Amino acid sequence: MSNQRLTTGALLRYLRGNNKEKAILQVVGIKTIDSKVDDASALTKRYRLMLSDGRCTFSSCMLGTQLNRLIEANSLKENAIVRIDRVMVNAIDKQNGRLMLMIHELEVIQSDSERIGDPVALPLTDIINNAGGNANRFEATDNFQPATTLVPPATNVIRQDSNVLPTIDGRNNAKNSNSHNNSLSAKGGNVIDKDRVMSIDTLNPYTNKWTIKVRVSTKGAIRTYQNARGPGKLFNCDLVDQSGEIRAAAFNADCDKIHAMLEVGKVYYISRASLKPVNRQFNSLKHDYEMAFNHDTCIELCEDDDGNSIPKVQFNFIPISEVANRAPSTICDVIGVAKSAADLDTIISKTSQKEFTKRDILLVDENASITATLWGKQAEEFQVSSNPVVAFKGIRIGDFNGRTLSTVTSTLISQDPTETSRTMELHTWFEKEGKSMDLPDLSKGADIGNQQTPFKTLAQITAEGIGLNDKPDYINVKCIITLIKKDSAVYMMCPQEKCGKKVIDENNGSFRCEKCNKTYTSYKWSYMLAAEISDATGSQWISAFSNEAESLLGMTADEFGNHKLNQNENIIDDIFRKTTNRERIFKLRAKADHFNDERRIRFTCMRISDVDWSSHGRRLMEEIKHIEPVQH
DNA sequence: CCCCCCCC
């Protein structure tokens, strides 16, 4: 039984606008609000509480999502006694003036309790009619006036239902609109109220009246789309202030005007727009909601931006190694040093048959490396200077050969960004040691984080159907080499960089490449090793190419090729014999393909390493730990 | 209210 005394009457006082009070209340009901988003993650889930002050209950109490964890940890539950540390009053219904409490901070004083008193629901008349005459209450009630066009729009204020375009001449206009604001805000008008600027991170769909002062950090092109409701167009932009960031979109009739007005890097006052939960698949910004501009939206250029108070961009970097733990197709922010950059390349899209320009960058940080693919203009404009630090905001994770990064149209690329100390940190690290480090490459199936490649026996590979999926499977096996195909171990490769095609020896000193459609006077030796590996459960043919074959045989393809040319059969046999001397760990990529109507699984060697017997032993112990120890 | 973002 609880001895806590509840703060009687606190709920009504809150609804009247006295939100400074830190009341002790009891939770008498918790409801989950259905999220309309597919992604039912904790980020979008909301809880509505019914609170009691001992005498009355009030059921429209929204819990700030940052407090969801209290419910999920079973600390905040029915009958719990809580202290309300920060609460706001909001109107939820313009027509009948219904209010809600938005709970931003609370502390659970006592998790388990019994019901205190016999509270009754706060009468609706009390909730609606107690205007109380203070500022908060007004804020909640003056929205009851329908949005009207009583107010003449200031010249540099864009109202979407007006035909007034923004003017470049800001100073006087800014003054004018300010005076408009001051004289009109008392009447509850429509013009932006610059004295009440909220920070982005407090925006939510239950806040009825807000103004934000934000910088446009990115702005996408206007795109058209077609869906069940017909054709449409839109553009996206990202808005930042000191507190955070939010993505916004404008559609159809509102699209062109707002797109023309907003300029990347400039600061605007914005009020009136709708807010809806984000879809994490397309939006990685650190905000639970995204904004849709609409007919009522007011946007006004802020000319007196001092350039410092509002950041240009907000980054939320994850380490490259962490990309391995993220789901493919999601969006993230990543920073690293461009260790190398490939030349521009073009590809033909399979779906659209259109040609696209691309450029691959090898991005490295202290713990890992990854291939980042830049597309189109961003690929062309990328400055291939000496190892710049490159920050990607909103880049998409792919899963080709492990994990890759690939820009999308909304990706912001920033070379040597000054907004983050990581730039200097990475430059220093790269100069000191990074440039000579051989880091695990996520785009070559490196083991990082939670993505540890599982160990399998060869019998398990067949039994578990490994390699039969659409995506390749990666596995480790502990095997010895039992056979190597000698004749096909190396082939004559086209000398053209990146071609890789086998050339035809025309036996007159020239070598023909069918792919390049050219004849060369030279070729390069290249490995294409077919080897049989075996463990106690079976055997399997695998392929090993360049680096892996070289590390296995202990010589370059060139050296091997020369032995072959010189018919040093003994040397070659000896090399092969030496490969059978011990067990090795083979990291394999298993992928089915079709060959003459027959499905087979191709095993490609990604890495060959010696057995680390201490870690291997630990792994085996993990596997057998479910076996009861024998008592002596 | 979009959500396509390409190739191996």
Side-chain angles (χ1 to χ4, degrees):
Chain A
M1 177 67 192
S2 166
N3 296 320
Q4 286 287 352
R5 281 179 50 222
L6 304 182
T7 314
T8 310
L11 285 170
L12 189 55
R13 288 194 293 275
Y14 279 157
L15 292 166
R16 287 174 174 173
N18 174 17
N19 63 350
K20 296 286 168 277
E21 190 174 357
K22 294 195 174 185
I24 310 291
L25 302 174
Q26 182 168 41
V27 178
V28 294
I30 299 177
K31 283 207 165 129
T32 310
I33 293 173
D34 289 335
S35 166
K36 282 178 189 146
V37 229
D38 302 335
D39 168 27
S41 70
L43 282 170
T44 56
K45 200 181 233 174
R46 273 202 173 263
Y47 295 102
R48 186 161 63 94
L49 307 182
M50 184 192 273
L51 294 175
S52 158
D53 61 14
R55 190 170 63 198
C56 297
T57 63
F58 184 64
S59 62
S60 296
C61 307
M62 301 299 301
L63 192 66
T65 49
Q66 73 276 13
L67 299 172
N68 284 5
R69 61 189 161 79
L70 293 173
I71 289 180
E72 280 137 23
N74 204 30
S75 158
L76 182 59
K77 54 188 178 183
E78 197 161 318
N79 289 344
I81 312 291
V82 299
R83 187 186 65 233
I84 307 295
D85 289 334
R86 195 157 66 87
V87 62
M88 275 170 59
V89 192
N90 292 313
I92 43 176
D93 190 328
K94 288 181 186 176
Q95 260 62 53
N96 63 21
R98 274 185 49 216
L99 299 177
M100 58 158 286
L101 295 178
M102 184 76 207
I103 297 171
H104 291 288
E105 283 171 40
L106 68 70
E107 189 166 358
V108 178
I109 292 175
Q110 190 182 332
S111 209
D112 294 291
S113 172
E114 286 170 23
R115 185 67 58 87
I116 299 171
D118 192 14
V120 294
L122 206 54
L124 202 60
T125 49
D126 282 2
I127 299 168
I128 296 172
N129 296 328
N130 278 282
N134 65 49
N136 272 319
R137 182 62 180 141
F138 266 151
E139 192 178 352
T141 52
D142 61 3
N143 284 309
F144 300 163
Q145 297 182 12
T148 62
T149 49
L150 286 171
V151 181
T155 45
N156 65 341
V157 174
I158 289 256
R159 292 235 340 122
Q160 287 312 299
D161 49 7
S162 78
N163 292 315
V164 182
L165 286 166
T167 60
I168 319 284
D169 174 23
R171 199 167 278 236
N172 286 333
N173 289 332
K175 235 179 195 160
N176 286 342
S177 70
N178 250 331
S179 62
H180 273 299
N181 280 351
N182 291 340
S183 60
L184 293 167
S185 58
K187 295 181 196 161
N190 288 323
V191 178
I192 289 174
D193 181 355
K194 293 173 195 166
D195 297 328
R196 273 175 197 270
V197 170
M198 286 180 64
S199 50
I200 282 179
D201 68 345
T202 63
L203 287 180
N204 66 61
Y206 316 99
T207 317
N208 213 293
K209 186 173 183 180
W210 47 261
T211 298
I212 51 173
K213 183 182 176 182
V214 293
R215 192 185 301 278
V216 176
S217 61
T218 63
K219 183 178 84 167
I222 293 173
R223 291 186 290 122
T224 55
Y225 62 88
Q226 186 89 34
N227 63 17
R229 290 149 52 140
K233 61 177 174 178
L234 85 151
F235 82 95
N236 285 114
C237 63
D238 292 346
L239 311 172
V240 297
D241 71 4
Q242 301 91 329
S243 77
E245 53 185 353
I246 191 164
R247 173 151 301 170
F251 294 90
N252 303 321
D254 315 314
C255 178
D256 290 337
K257 215 182 275 179
I258 296 181
H259 190 269
M261 182 185 193
L262 293 179
E263 229 175 286
V264 171
K266 295 209 167 162
V267 174
Y268 300 85
Y269 289 101
I270 298 175
S271 73
R272 294 174 184 270
S274 58
L275 291 153
K276 58 160 199 166
V278 294
N279 182 340
R280 286 287 161 216
Q281 222 196 326
F282 307 105
N283 180 348
S284 68
L285 301 204
K286 215 170 163 181
H287 204 291
D288 290 350
Y289 301 99
E290 58 190 34
M291 189 177 287
F293 296 134
N294 55 44
H295 258 61
D296 283 338
T297 300
C298 296
I299 300 175
E300 183 181 334
L301 182 65
C302 173
E303 293 278 3
D304 62 349
D305 156 41
D306 64 14
N308 293 321
S309 62
I310 299 183
K312 289 190 169 57
V313 63
Q314 295 262 5
F315 290 115
N316 303 294
F317 297 122
I318 59 170
I320 292 174
S321 60
E322 173 59 16
V323 175
N325 301 329
R326 298 293 178 101
S329 298
T330 56
I331 302 277
C332 65
D333 298 357
V334 176
I335 190 166
V337 179
K339 189 172 181 176
S340 59
D343 292 337
L344 275 179
D345 202 357
T346 54
I347 58 101
I348 310 277
S349 163
K350 274 179 181 161
T351 47
S352 67
Q353 301 301 317
K354 280 186 188 153
E355 191 176 83
F356 292 93
T357 324
K358 60 165 265 193
R359 188 198 298 278
D360 282 349
I361 308 270
L362 184 66
L363 198 70
V364 297
D365 71 6
E366 291 87 341
N367 297 305
S369 68
I370 193 166
T371 298
T373 305
L374 279 55
W375 294 96
K377 218 172 181 181
Q378 290 182 318
E380 286 155 30
E381 287 172 359
F382 186 82
Q383 295 297 311
V384 195
S385 62
S386 53
N387 305 119
V389 166
V390 188
F392 294 96
K393 180 167 183 60
I395 194 163
R396 190 171 194 261
I397 297 173
D399 61 357
F400 185 70
N401 280 346
R403 285 289 185 278
T404 58
L405 296 171
S406 183
T407 61
V408 293
T409 46
S410 56
T411 304
L412 178 71
I413 302 179
S414 180
Q415 285 196 34
D416 296 311
T418 51
E419 290 87 357
T420 169
S421 59
R422 286 290 285 146
T423 301
M424 277 309 291
E425 220 172 89
L426 282 161
H427 269 304
T428 310
W429 162 80
F430 190 76
E431 273 315 303
K432 198 172 152 225
E433 51 180 341
K435 61 183 170 192
S436 55
M437 281 173 85
D438 188 22
L439 290 154
D441 191 337
L442 299 195
S443 307
K444 291 188 175 144
D447 286 359
I448 297 283
N450 306 338
Q451 302 289 308
Q452 294 286 327
T453 307
F455 269 87
K456 299 287 176 190
T457 63
L458 294 180
Q460 282 175 317
I461 290 174
T462 316
E464 295 174 15
I466 286 166
L468 296 175
N469 303 307
D470 289 344
K471 294 278 178 190
D473 292 318
Y474 292 89
I475 42 148
N476 281 313
V477 292
K478 184 163 68 69
C479 287
I480 57 169
I481 301 249
T482 38
L483 273 174
I484 298 178
K485 267 192 194 158
K486 194 153 80 175
D487 294 345
S488 61
V490 283
Y491 67 97
M492 291 171 165
M493 184 178 72
C494 173
Q496 184 67 34
E497 193 84 32
K498 280 168 45 179
C499 173
K501 180 82 178 164
K502 186 176 178 176
V503 291
I504 299 154
D505 186 353
E506 298 187 328
N507 292 317
N508 56 4
S510 55
F511 306 89
R512 167 123 199 106
C513 175
E514 300 277 278
K515 190 174 166 192
C516 300
N517 197 20
K518 264 186 181 172
T519 304
Y520 298 96
T521 54
S522 68
Y523 62 89
K524 288 192 286 190
W525 285 112
S526 183
Y527 279 122
M528 193 172 65
L529 217 58
E532 188 200 51
I533 57 173
S534 304
D535 68 6
T537 68
S539 61
Q540 178 63 54
W541 282 92
I542 65 166
S543 305
F545 298 94
S546 50
N547 293 339
E548 293 71 35
E550 183 176 323
S551 85
L552 184 69
L553 300 182
M555 66 173 59
T556 64
D558 254 348
E559 290 169 323
F560 189 96
N562 286 331
H563 287 309
K564 183 175 168 171
L565 271 188
N566 300 329
Q567 298 181 318
N568 293 333
E569 299 295 326
N570 293 345
I571 296 176
I572 291 174
D573 288 346
D574 201 42
I575 294 162
F576 283 2
R577 199 172 304 117
K578 278 182 187 160
T579 64
T580 63
N581 62 351
R582 62 175 186 278
E583 287 177 298
R584 292 180 171 84
I585 307 288
F586 296 85
K587 178 169 177 167
L588 302 176
R589 176 185 197 265
K591 176 84 181 85
D593 66 6
H594 293 269
F595 190 73
N596 293 341
D597 271 353
E598 195 186 326
R599 187 176 64 182
R600 59 176 186 176
I601 303 168
R602 200 189 274 281
F603 292 87
T604 309
C605 187
M606 306 303 291
R607 189 167 49 198
I608 304 169
S609 47
D610 289 333
V611 183
D612 174 351
W613 289 104
S614 65
S615 73
H616 197 70
R618 271 197 301 278
R619 191 179 58 74
L620 291 177
M621 289 304 287
E622 281 298 306
E623 282 177 13
I624 62 170
K625 73 181 175 191
H626 61 281
I627 299 171
E628 290 294 315
V630 179
Q631 299 293 325
H632 290 287

